[in-house]
């Protein structure tokens, strides 16, 4: 294809738009005398031929990227019920706030006196997260949930070492845990011990007792867990771990279900991390910057990374004086823009608004779970929190249709698929988190699509196993796409 006109075609995917001489900009001619590159650069490093860059007009560029953006599913286009990831709608106004000049362009080395507003925002954010988590001190430094876990476990290790308990090296993790928990525990130098879930999907108390010994550093727990189930035994669990001399780590990546209702600190947790990029107005995914603040109880506050933001009278300052700090975990003060968005979100919602989020998220999940339970197996059939895990075992065993097929077929119905095959303890898992921002009509439409797919699995299974049919690309080799992505523009691609 010449590149003069992009003809919309689905197959094959036409990518080449370049035509010689075309430009997307026009600049006045330079009045600076041109220099000879050979005078400023070593000769062997000079390009021998011009780079093969795409030559395109401005409309070509705009249309190309707009078209690409429309080929992706996003939360601004449709329902995105990705369990354990809280893909909720985030108010755009918070993006505008974070983009304000004084926030977006503030230099990290600006003297404290000139950035009192930014420091105040961070200080107040620390305070809000203390309040929401039931903890006493917070660092905003970690850049992601996993980074927060690493920071938290490192704090726990340093604290234990300071008490002469440096030998404690075991981190207990339930078999329903998010994969980052064991990964971060290991990177922080610990060994992991798995503890089984009981028939109700909670921590099996006897198994926990069996492993809670003098080598335990901590238990890492998500509550509600990745099954979306709240573990009512949390006080018993906390007691067992504390009596064994270990601490409790709360993975609060998805706090949507509990905000304003339950505080991990009150339930006995000593260390908590939050994902601002799930619960607090930054989308998760897309590889953008995240933020995983960590909160701790008083006894652990001296171990936080430095600096934290302090307040002295009316003045805010960066406090580097923590005597037992584990040191920095990130340059400067964390991903400030994400903190600004979370701050704007918390301030605009207010305590009552955050409680409403929890109520509506839990209501939506239970509503959807009951509808989907007509056609799909529920391994743990009880009231859930912000998410639930259904299973495709009926479809697999009766019709040879796998959960992956169901997920792909959902794309044909215009929905993003839920998280699949996680948590690992549910076979053919479909992990669904509707979030608080979806209307009843959307939830009904999704449930209807799931019901239709269940019927198709029975009557015309090849429709499901051959899905997706209506998307721009069909079923991909996902492992290869992730491991060997082919993203580079090459001017030498064969032209049509
Ligand atoms: C997302 C998530 C994490 C990890 O957060 P990242 O920011 O992706 O590192 C940890 N635990 C749970 C339960 C999560 O859902």
């Amino acid at each position: 294809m010449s590149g003069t006109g992009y003809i919309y075609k689905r197959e094959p995917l036409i990518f080449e738009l370049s035509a010689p001489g075309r430009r997307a900009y026009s600049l006045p001619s330079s009045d600076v005398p041109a220099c000879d590159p050979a005078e400023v650069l070593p000769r062997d490093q000079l390009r021998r031929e011009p780079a093969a860059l795409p030559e395109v007009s401005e409309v070509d560029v705009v249309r190309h990227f707009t078209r690409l953006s429309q080929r992706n599913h996003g939360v601004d286009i449709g329902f995105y019920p990705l369990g354990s990831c809280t893909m909720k709608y985030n108010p755009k106004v918070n993006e505008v706030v974070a983009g304000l000049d004084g926030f977006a362009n503030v230099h990290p080395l600006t003297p404290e006196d000139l950035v009192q507003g930014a420091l105040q925002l961070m200080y107040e954010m620390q305070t809000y997260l203390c309040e929401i988590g039931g903890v006493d001190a917070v660092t905003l430094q970690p850049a992601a949930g996993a980074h927060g876990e690493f920071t938290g476990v490192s704090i726990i290790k340093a604290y234990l070492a300071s008490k002469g308990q440096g030998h404690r090296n075991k981190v207990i993790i339930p078999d329903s845990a998010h994969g980052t928990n064991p990964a971060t525990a290991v990177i922080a130098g610990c060994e992991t011990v798995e503890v089984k879930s009981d028939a109700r999907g909670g921590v099996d108390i006897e198994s926990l007792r069996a492993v809670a010994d003098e080598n335990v550093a901590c238990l890492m727990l998500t509550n509600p867990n990745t099954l979306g189930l709240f573990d009512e035994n949390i006080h018993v669990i906390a007691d067992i771990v504390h009596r064994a001399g270990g601490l409790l780590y709360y993975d609060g990546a998805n706090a949507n279900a509990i905000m304003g209702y339950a505080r991990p600190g009150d339930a006995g947790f000593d260390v908590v991390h939050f994902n601002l990029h799930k619960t607090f107005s930054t989308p998760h995914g897309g590889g953008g910057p995240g933020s995983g603040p960590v909160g701790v109880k008083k006894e652990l506050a001296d171990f936080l990374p430095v600096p934290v933001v302090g307040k002295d009278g009316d003045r805010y300052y960066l406090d580097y004086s923590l005597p037992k700090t584990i040191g920095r975990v990130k340059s400067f003060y964390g991903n400030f823009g994400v903190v600004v968005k979370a701050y704007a979100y918390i301030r605009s919602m207010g305590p009552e608004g955050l409680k409403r989020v929890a109520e509506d998220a839990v209501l939506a999940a239970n509503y959807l779970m009951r509808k989907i339970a007509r056609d799909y197996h529920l391994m743990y059939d009880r009231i859930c929190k912000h998410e639930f895990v259904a299973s495709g075992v009926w479809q697999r065993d009766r019709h040879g249709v796998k959960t992956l097929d169901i997920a792909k077929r959902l794309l044909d119905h215009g929905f993003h698929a839920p998280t699949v095959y996680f948590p690992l303890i549910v076979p053919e898992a479909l992990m669904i988190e509707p979030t608080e921002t979806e209307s009843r009509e959307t939830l009904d439409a999704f449930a209807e699509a799931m019901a239709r797919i269940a019927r198709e699995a029975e009557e015309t299974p090849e429709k499901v196993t051959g899905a997706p049919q209506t998307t721009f690309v069909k079923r991909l080799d996902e492992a290869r796409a992730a491991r060997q992505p082919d993203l580079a523009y090459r001017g030498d691609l064969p032209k049509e």
Side-chain angles (χ1 to χ4, degrees):
M1 158 161 180
S2 71
T4 48
Y6 186 104
I7 298 162
Y8 173 75
K9 269 208 283 175
R10 219 164 244 179
E11 293 289 347
L13 200 60
I14 297 163
F15 203 76
E16 184 51 66
L17 303 177
S18 187
R22 208 159 277 169
R23 291 288 177 273
Y25 62 87
S26 46
L27 296 175
S29 54
S30 173
D31 56 1
V32 179
C35 72
D36 179 2
E39 279 174 17
V40 282
L41 287 172
R43 199 161 280 280
D44 63 344
Q45 287 179 20
L46 290 179
R47 204 175 249 297
R48 276 170 285 275
E49 286 165 27
L53 297 175
E55 297 182 83
V56 285
S57 71
E58 183 173 335
V59 282
D60 288 339
V61 174
V62 171
R63 286 178 187 162
H64 173 67
F65 285 107
T66 304
R67 192 177 287 116
L68 282 186
S69 75
Q70 290 170 343
R71 286 180 185 184
N72 275 330
H73 189 93
V75 81
D76 288 346
I77 290 184
F79 188 47
Y80 204 137
L82 207 58
S84 192
C85 284
T86 312
M87 296 299 287
K88 64 187 191 178
Y89 177 78
N90 295 303
K92 298 288 177 276
V93 66
N94 301 329
E95 300 286 339
V96 176
V97 173
L100 292 175
D101 214 32
F103 290 136
N105 294 326
V106 63
H107 192 282
L109 294 178
T110 310
E112 283 173 11
D113 288 344
L114 301 179
V115 287
Q116 282 293 301
L119 292 175
Q120 179 180 354
L121 184 147
M122 290 170 71
Y123 180 85
E124 289 178 2
M125 189 65 187
Q126 291 171 185
T127 316
Y128 299 157
L129 291 176
C130 281
E131 175 68 27
I132 293 168
V135 287
D136 301 308
V138 159
T139 171
L140 303 174
Q141 234 177 76
H147 196 190
E149 292 168 32
F150 171 76
T151 305
V153 175
S154 302
I155 289 171
I156 288 172
K157 285 200 72 179
Y159 168 79
L160 290 171
S162 79
K163 298 275 178 205
Q165 297 286 305
H167 65 279
R168 288 185 177 264
N169 206 32
K170 239 164 74 170
V171 175
I172 305 172
I173 300 175
D175 57 6
S176 61
H178 193 271
T180 49
N181 293 181
T184 48
V186 167
I187 288 179
C190 296
E191 278 168 29
T192 60
V193 183
E194 191 175 273
V195 52
K196 284 205 301 287
S197 299
D198 64 14
R200 278 172 60 72
V203 172
D204 186 76
I205 297 295
E206 286 320 308
S207 308
L208 177 63
R209 281 215 174 90
V211 295
D213 60 19
E214 68 289 347
N215 291 319
V216 169
C218 68
L219 165 77
M220 295 179 92
L221 194 68
T222 313
N223 196 25
N225 62 19
T226 61
L227 296 162
L229 303 173
F230 189 81
D231 202 319
E232 307 96 336
N233 291 329
I234 182 57
H235 288 294
V236 180
I237 293 167
D239 199 47
I240 293 171
V241 176
H242 282 151
R243 272 170 200 264
L247 300 186
L248 258 83
Y249 182 95
Y250 185 81
D251 176 343
N254 308 278
N256 244 19
I258 61 156
M259 282 188 297
Y261 275 95
R263 307 195 311 167
D266 298 339
F269 287 94
D270 305 286
V271 181
V272 175
H273 92 260
F274 289 106
N275 276 29
L276 301 188
H277 55 286
K278 276 183 187 173
T279 313
F280 297 100
S281 202
T282 285
H284 183 56
S291 177
V294 172
V296 296
K297 289 283 182 63
K298 261 199 304 299
E299 309 77 62
L300 297 153
D302 284 348
F303 296 85
L304 287 176
V306 287
V308 289
V309 182
K311 188 179 181 193
D312 181 12
D314 285 343
R315 194 175 162 276
Y316 299 92
Y317 64 100
L318 294 166
D319 185 358
Y320 288 87
S321 73
L322 303 188
K324 298 172 184 159
T325 176
I326 59 164
R328 279 183 178 283
V329 295
K330 178 153 187 346
S331 55
F332 303 116
Y333 328 109
N335 283 326
F336 180 62
V338 184
V339 174
V340 175
K341 281 188 268 185
Y343 180 88
Y345 179 70
I346 290 172
R347 289 300 298 263
S348 56
M349 299 298 282
E352 287 309 312
L354 294 182
K355 268 180 104 161
R356 238 342 253 294
V357 167
E359 286 164 13
D360 289 348
V362 172
L363 180 63
N366 280 283
Y367 178 76
L368 198 52
M369 179 173 74
R370 292 280 38 114
K371 292 204 128 190
I372 283 173
R374 293 172 196 159
D375 301 294
Y376 296 86
H377 177 56
L378 291 180
M379 200 160 135
Y380 305 97
D381 192 354
R382 63 180 176 105
I383 288 189
C384 66
K385 293 294 176 222
H386 59 299
E387 65 192 359
F388 64 96
V389 181
S391 164
V393 282
W394 292 346
Q395 285 70 24
R396 182 194 64 191
D397 296 346
R398 295 173 195 166
H399 314 298
V401 168
K402 297 195 297 292
T403 277
L404 183 68
D405 304 319
I406 295 166
K408 295 295 181 194
R409 187 62 177 151
L410 271 169
L411 307 179
D412 284 336
H413 288 290
F415 295 105
H416 195 282
T419 299
V420 292
Y421 298 105
F422 180 78
L424 304 174
I425 55 175
V426 175
E428 301 295 317
L430 287 149
M431 185 193 206
I432 299 170
E433 179 178 4
T435 80
E436 77 282 7
T437 43
E438 298 298 338
S439 68
R440 183 168 173 180
E441 288 79 2
T442 300
L443 301 179
D444 287 342
F446 180 77
E448 175 53 30
M450 288 294 285
R452 261 162 63 191
I453 294 170
R455 275 200 304 279
E456 286 173 352
E458 233 175 287
E459 294 159 9
T460 50
E462 64 287 352
K463 261 197 189 157
V464 188
T465 53
Q469 300 295 339
T470 60
T471 49
F472 287 99
V473 287
K474 298 276 157 18
R475 214 177 276 208
L476 295 169
D477 179 342
E478 287 169 3
R480 215 175 127 220
R483 301 253 157 79
Q484 301 161 21
D486 184 3
L487 304 173
Y489 172 81
R490 288 192 305 267
D492 58 0
L493 276 181
K495 307 223 163 166
E496 281 188 51

